[in-house]
Amino acid sequence: MSNTDDFPRPEGDSGEPLETDVTDDVVTVRRAPRYGRFITLGAVVGAVVALILTFAFSGEPAQPELEPGFDKGQVFGFLLLLCGVIGATLGAVVALIIDRASARRSRAVEVVHESTHRVDE
């Protein structure tokens, strides 16, 4: 629904006649989570879990003559890859759940858009 005002045309800075179009529309307003922050937070929590798991165990193989030994840095690297990916995935899932819950509380709002442009005569 677009209409043009019936008021006298205002003039711009250069003396050109201007016209204003007014459009009414209905939009949906809702809050949405920031996915990047949730994914980053999940990855950071995964890194902390990897650090805790690295130092929670002795790191000595049960049968040292049959199994190769890994130092703490290698164990942390492996766990960081695994726990970081799992944490980021869980963060994204939590953000999706929050997004779905916020969609229920959305509301419709009527907005008015005005645009002013030069009249081509």
Side-chain angles (χ1 to χ4, degrees):
M1 168 178 170
S2 177
N3 59 356
T4 304
D5 293 335
D6 294 328
F7 300 112
R9 296 180 183 160
E11 294 186 5
D13 294 337
S14 62
E16 300 170 350
L18 299 176
E19 182 177 63
T20 302
D21 291 334
V22 179
T23 306
D24 297 338
D25 199 7
V26 177
V27 296
T28 302
V29 178
R30 68 182 180 96
R31 295 183 59 141
R34 297 185 182 264
Y35 288 93
R37 291 185 183 177
F38 276 90
I39 293 170
T40 302
L41 181 63
V44 168
V45 169
V48 170
V49 168
L51 186 65
I52 292 170
L53 288 175
T54 299
F55 292 104
F57 302 103
S58 67
E60 298 296 324
Q63 298 173 346
E65 63 279 347
L66 298 177
E67 298 176 19
F70 296 107
D71 64 354
K72 296 250 187 225
Q74 291 172 323
V75 171
F76 177 69
F78 295 141
L79 288 174
L80 181 63
L81 285 173
L82 181 67
C83 294
V85 170
I86 290 172
T89 303
L90 289 176
V93 169
V94 168
L96 283 171
I97 291 170
I98 292 172
D99 188 34
R100 296 289 184 230
S102 70
R104 294 180 190 147
R105 291 187 297 263
S106 64
R107 57 192 160 127
V109 178
E110 186 174 335
V111 295
V112 177
H113 177 72
E114 295 182 4
S115 61
T116 303
H117 54 86
R118 290 183 299 207
V119 175
D120 296 326
E121 295 183 28

